[in-house]
Amino acid sequence: MASPSQCTNLLDCALYWERDAADRICFTQPMGGGDANLRTWTWAQAVDEARRVAAYLKGLDLPLRSSIALCSKNCAYWLMADLAIWMAGHVSVPIYPILTADIVNYTLEHSEARLLFVGKLDPVWEEMKKGVPADLKTVSFPLAPENGQEQWESIVAAHSPLKDVAECPPDETATIIYTSGSTGKPKGAMISFGAMYRSGRGLSEYLNTTPEDRTLSYLPLAHAMERFVGQAHYLYTGFQQFFAESLDTFVQDLQRARPTMFASVPRLWLKFQLGVFEKVPPARLDRLLKIPILSGMVKKKILRQLGLDQVRVAASGSAPIPKEVIAWYRRLGLELLEGYGMTENFSYSHIGRPGRIRPGYVGNPYPDVEHRISPEGEILVKSPGTMKGYFKMPEKNEHIFTEDGFFRTGDLGEIDEMGRLKITGRAKELFKTSKGKYVAPAPIENQLASSHLVEACYVTGSGYHQAHAVVMLSEEARQKANGETRGILANELATLLGDVNRGLPPFEQIAFLAVAKDDWTVENGFLTPTLKIKRRVLDATYGPLAESWYAMNAPVVWQEAA
């Protein structure tokens, strides 16, 4: 092959870089201890290591296209293991590194996994591993919790590189990506080699990516968005990839990588913003940004301290992001390109175009993607990244595509005169008030979450005369939630409620804000691994309190008072 553009799959792209960029650094991996303990791989070294593990997998004599699972936080070993799985002729099955034991067990059993790679994991692994079948063969990465399993480094040392790697036909399944399970049991989307390759190539061409670019890989590789951006895009283009060490060192990791491209989810963009506000209150920052001499210096300092001063492409995806947040970053000189996609189309669907951003819209479809709105208001998408179907779920596959091949997203939306898409809600999330009116919660949640007082929120109220919202306070607001300042906070929240309600039709207006005392985290089950709220869990937790909240007849109520 003369270039990646002449390949048909991502494995061939990796083999191209192995040959044509052998000595160029492809991975930089913290091994514990920050800058004092970094490991790097050249393309030749990384592919050689993958070939050696592939030789080990071939020696197991597993049936061709066996499922092999991966459970680890992002690291170089994750991507090398995926290459090894493909080289040996098998299918990778990512598992989120923060899941309950029953979901781990379900995923491994349902996917018929024959082997499990275990890597960099939090202490929660002690609970997760209870879901791993006792007879499932396990291989551990160097960063894995201490165990008695076979070790990656021992396998690499004991095997010669596999020379004749397996064929990866475009229509064959490359990976089975299980959905995050926010609406029930996870479903396994079968993504082909061709879909992964065409998506990676499409993004690279759209962003004009080159091997000189840099990224930091930290969003879960078990999720389609990071597989799309941090694997398919990466393998096609051949740029250098850095990995994050931990949540505590994240800013240092960013500063080390100085990424030229950075994608995140709304909650993290909000956290960055709130972190800035903790050092410089919003009113003071606003004044500084209005002073011509100081403005440029302040912007550069903020972006430099965040490690984002070299970013030429910034993006947000996985959930709606408040337009006020987009405007705030744009004021700093960082234009966030909002993206939209699903596991089922490998996240290759829509993205904002520089200079054509419209707040509240997720952008246009990629050049080779088609979209339309059904008569019922549902967004239909036809993408080269679309899955083959759900693994072992033929009854679901019958209804997810239109007769002419468009995927039924389940999202509601509208398209403007420039072809930009707006998400107006999720069909399954709509609820009806006692007045018979349907409410779409996501857009209202988006408005509430734009406040510096709110870290996350959830709008509900099925069967009640009016909807209400449960909010988890930001760190800034929590400091005011106790003692004499609680009344001040309550007034600020009441003002927020009034501001949001003024922009809503009467049937969608919120009766009150309920302040949750709980932290909503992935570990305690309130959030999915991609930081989306789990409505069923929130319903079960706060539903029994709703009647007493309505009886208080106040704009702001507190969970402990119910």
Side-chain angles (χ1 to χ4, degrees):
M1 73 209 82
S3 71
S5 63
Q6 295 178 313
C7 297
T8 59
N9 62 69
L10 297 176
L11 177 56
D12 281 348
C13 292
L15 302 182
Y16 169 83
W17 297 119
E18 176 194 33
R19 188 188 71 239
D20 281 45
D23 297 328
R24 194 167 71 223
I25 299 294
C26 63
F27 294 139
T28 298
Q29 172 69 56
M31 300 299 291
D35 289 343
N37 193 18
L38 297 176
R39 183 176 175 188
T40 61
W41 285 260
T42 64
W43 277 104
Q45 291 168 336
V47 178
D48 175 80
E49 208 157 315
R51 286 180 182 273
R52 291 172 185 272
V53 175
Y56 162 80
L57 294 176
K58 287 284 283 186
L60 298 177
D61 291 327
L62 300 174
L64 193 64
R65 306 296 173 200
S66 289
S67 292
I68 296 182
L70 286 156
C71 186
S72 171
K73 288 188 171 184
N74 297 20
C75 60
Y77 301 100
W78 201 110
L79 292 177
M80 290 188 289
D82 208 6
L83 289 175
I85 291 167
W86 293 341
M87 288 175 176
H90 301 309
V91 177
S92 59
V93 181
I95 294 178
Y96 287 92
I98 304 177
L99 285 178
T100 59
D102 60 328
I103 296 297
V104 171
N105 183 262
Y106 171 81
T107 306
L108 292 171
E109 295 282 1
H110 185 266
S111 67
E112 303 173 14
R114 300 299 188 98
L115 182 142
L116 171 65
F117 284 103
V118 173
K120 185 180 178 184
L121 293 164
D122 286 328
V124 72
W125 173 245
E126 288 302 312
E127 181 60 30
M128 289 179 64
K129 70 181 182 182
K130 296 175 184 177
V132 179
D135 59 347
L136 183 64
K137 193 173 190 64
T138 304
V139 172
S140 291
F141 296 158
L143 295 168
E146 191 171 335
N147 59 77
Q149 306 296 340
E150 285 195 79
Q151 302 297 308
W152 174 279
E153 290 181 326
S154 299
I155 290 170
V156 169
H159 291 79
S160 298
L162 182 68
K163 292 183 178 179
D164 298 321
V165 303
E167 294 291 327
C168 299
D171 292 336
E172 283 284 357
T173 299
T175 188
I176 302 173
I177 305 178
Y178 279 79
T179 58
S180 57
S182 59
T183 57
K185 277 194 173 180
K187 300 184 291 292
M190 297 182 289
I191 309 296
S192 70
F193 284 104
M196 292 186 76
Y197 171 80
R198 289 192 293 271
S199 299
R201 176 176 176 171
L203 182 60
S204 181
E205 291 174 348
Y206 182 83
L207 298 179
N208 296 315
T209 318
T210 75
E212 309 309 314
D213 280 303
R214 299 180 302 279
T215 61
L216 178 71
S217 176
Y218 69 98
L219 295 172
L221 273 164
H223 183 246
M225 179 178 167
E226 184 64 14
R227 292 291 292 284
F228 166 45
V229 174
Q231 184 184 30
H233 177 214
Y234 161 73
L235 288 174
Y236 180 83
T237 314
F239 50 77
Q240 186 175 2
Q241 184 125 258
F242 291 76
F243 294 90
E245 183 167 351
S246 69
L247 186 61
D248 292 337
T249 66
F250 189 71
V251 173
Q252 295 96 304
D253 295 327
L254 265 175
Q255 291 171 341
R256 178 192 305 119
R258 283 286 189 266
T260 59
M261 297 177 293
F262 185 73
S264 192
V265 294
R267 195 165 181 221
L268 288 177
W269 285 116
L270 283 163
K271 276 184 173 290
F272 285 161
Q273 184 191 46
L274 292 173
V276 172
F277 288 162
E278 287 175 6
K279 295 180 179 179
V280 186
R284 181 166 178 249
L285 180 60
D286 184 61
R287 288 195 301 271
L288 290 173
L289 292 177
K290 289 178 180 177
I291 302 173
I293 298 176
L294 288 178
S295 178
M297 296 171 58
V298 171
K299 293 175 184 178
K300 287 180 181 178
K301 184 176 181 179
I302 290 173
L303 292 177
R304 185 169 61 250
Q305 289 180 343
L306 289 173
L308 302 176
D309 55 309
Q310 299 295 311
V311 171
R312 67 175 186 85
V313 177
S316 179
S318 187
I321 185 169
K323 60 184 179 182
E324 293 82 1
V325 176
I326 293 176
W328 186 81
Y329 279 101
R330 183 182 296 163
R331 196 175 180 193
L332 292 181
L334 208 60
E335 185 174 31
L336 297 188
L337 305 180
E338 192 169 2
Y340 167 69
M342 310 185 77
T343 300
E344 289 84 351
N345 56 31
F346 198 55
S347 292
Y348 189 61
S349 183
H350 291 69
I351 191 170
R353 296 183 181 178
R356 295 180 62 182
I357 303 298
R358 181 178 179 183
Y361 286 71
V362 295
N364 298 82
Y366 286 94
D368 50 353
V369 172
E370 299 176 57
H371 69 169
R372 69 173 187 240
I373 306 297
S374 76
E376 297 75 30
E378 183 180 12
I379 301 166
L380 307 178
V381 177
K382 183 184 288 188
S383 165
T386 298
M387 67 175 182
K388 296 166 61 177
Y390 293 121
F391 185 61
K392 298 194 324 190
M393 291 185 174
E395 72 287 354
K396 291 188 178 296
N397 294 333
E398 293 177 9
H399 309 292
I400 56 175
F401 294 105
T402 64
E403 291 184 0
D404 55 348
F406 280 76
F407 175 70
R408 303 180 191 275
T409 66
D411 286 328
L412 304 174
E414 55 191 52
I415 299 169
D416 74 2
E417 71 284 353
M418 295 182 69
R420 293 171 297 201
L421 177 67
K422 180 178 183 179
I423 313 296
T424 58
R426 181 85 180 149
K428 290 182 180 178
E429 292 174 357
L430 294 177
F431 62 86
K432 187 188 289 187
T433 66
S434 61
K435 297 178 181 179
K437 295 288 189 178
Y438 281 100
V439 175
I444 306 171
E445 291 164 352
N446 199 21
Q447 292 184 57
L448 290 168
S450 68
S451 168
H452 61 95
L453 301 173
V454 176
E455 182 166 332
C457 66
Y458 143 78
V459 170
T460 185
S462 178
Y464 289 96
H465 68 284
Q466 205 171 346
H468 69 275
V470 184
V471 300
M472 183 177 78
L473 297 176
S474 66
E475 283 297 327
E476 175 190 345
R478 289 182 201 189
Q479 293 174 9
K480 301 180 182 179
N482 298 307
E484 297 178 0
T485 55
R486 175 176 279 203
I488 297 173
L489 175 61
N491 288 335
E492 292 177 331
L493 289 170
T495 299
L496 170 63
L497 177 65
D499 291 343
V500 170
N501 276 342
R502 274 190 289 276
L504 297 173
F507 70 90
E508 283 191 333
Q509 289 180 0
I510 305 300
F512 58 85
L513 300 181
V515 180
K517 66 180 180 182
D518 311 293
D519 277 336
W520 300 351
T521 67
V522 176
E523 290 81 0
N524 64 17
F526 281 94
L527 303 178
T528 72
T530 52
L531 305 183
K532 295 176 183 175
I533 59 172
K534 287 188 174 180
R535 294 185 187 276
R536 290 192 307 157
V537 174
L538 293 167
D539 283 339
T541 303
Y542 302 112
L545 306 176
E547 193 166 336
S548 63
W549 284 340
Y550 280 99
M552 292 179 190
N553 196 29
V556 178
V557 300
W558 307 84
Q559 182 182 349
E560 68 266 22

